[in-house]
Amino acid sequence: MILFRPVGLQELRLIAASGYRAFPPRLPDQPIFYPVLNFEYAEQIARDWNTKYNDPPCGFVTRFEVDDAYVRRFPVQTAGARMHQELWVPAEDLEEFNRHIVGQITVDAAYYGPGFKGEIDPNTNLPAEFSGGK
């Protein structure tokens, strides 16, 4: 199954540190990991939420594949509009979930709010610190 996850810069750094193979553990106040089922929903969060409310104001859409047989244990949840479909993975299951990621996590899109400070690589549209990365 192809899934998407909108992330901020701090989470993207942790994903990069894993070799683009795993999502970082949830924080204590984050009991659920929410990958989404379509790019448009992830894009909406990254572009319209992360660029306004993250520090620094930027958002990224990651794309990854998870083993079908494993991921079926998490029922699809609908949040709000019909296109807003996601999986609810309990935080304590994230380490096992990461082991079922097939290949690497890629960055499909990057968005920056007006207050973003930093150099953006024109070839990748990612912050310069990721030059040579995914």
Side-chain angles (χ1 to χ4, degrees):
M1 175 182 282
I2 302 293
L3 296 168
F4 302 89
R5 169 98 176 136
V7 300
L9 184 57
Q10 304 307 333
E11 190 168 359
L12 184 59
R13 285 177 177 145
L14 295 171
I15 292 166
S18 78
Y20 294 89
R21 299 232 177 246
F23 290 92
R26 302 292 81 202
L27 298 173
D29 64 336
Q30 299 172 324
I32 304 287
F33 173 73
Y34 300 95
V36 303
L37 274 62
N38 64 63
F39 175 85
E40 293 78 15
Y41 183 27
E43 178 184 44
Q44 181 182 21
I45 295 166
R47 183 192 61 222
D48 299 345
W49 178 265
N50 291 358
T51 60
K52 294 178 182 137
Y53 303 107
N54 276 1
D55 184 21
C58 56
F60 307 92
V61 176
T62 62
R63 175 188 173 109
F64 58 101
E65 185 176 347
V66 180
D67 174 60
D68 284 336
Y70 174 78
V71 82
R72 271 184 271 210
R73 70 175 50 186
F74 304 102
V76 173
Q77 306 290 331
T78 301
R82 195 177 54 167
M83 71 175 253
H84 293 168
Q85 293 185 315
E86 55 197 24
L87 300 180
W88 293 0
V89 180
E92 61 269 16
D93 293 343
L94 184 55
E95 189 175 333
E96 180 70 17
F97 183 91
N98 282 332
R99 285 195 284 275
H100 290 274
I101 292 176
V102 178
Q104 290 187 301
I105 299 164
T106 61
V107 180
D108 279 10
Y111 304 94
Y112 301 92
F116 181 79
K117 294 176 176 71
E119 187 179 343
I120 299 170
D121 183 325
N123 296 317
T124 63
N125 195 34
L126 293 176
E129 68 186 86
F130 296 98
S131 293
K134 295 285 165 202

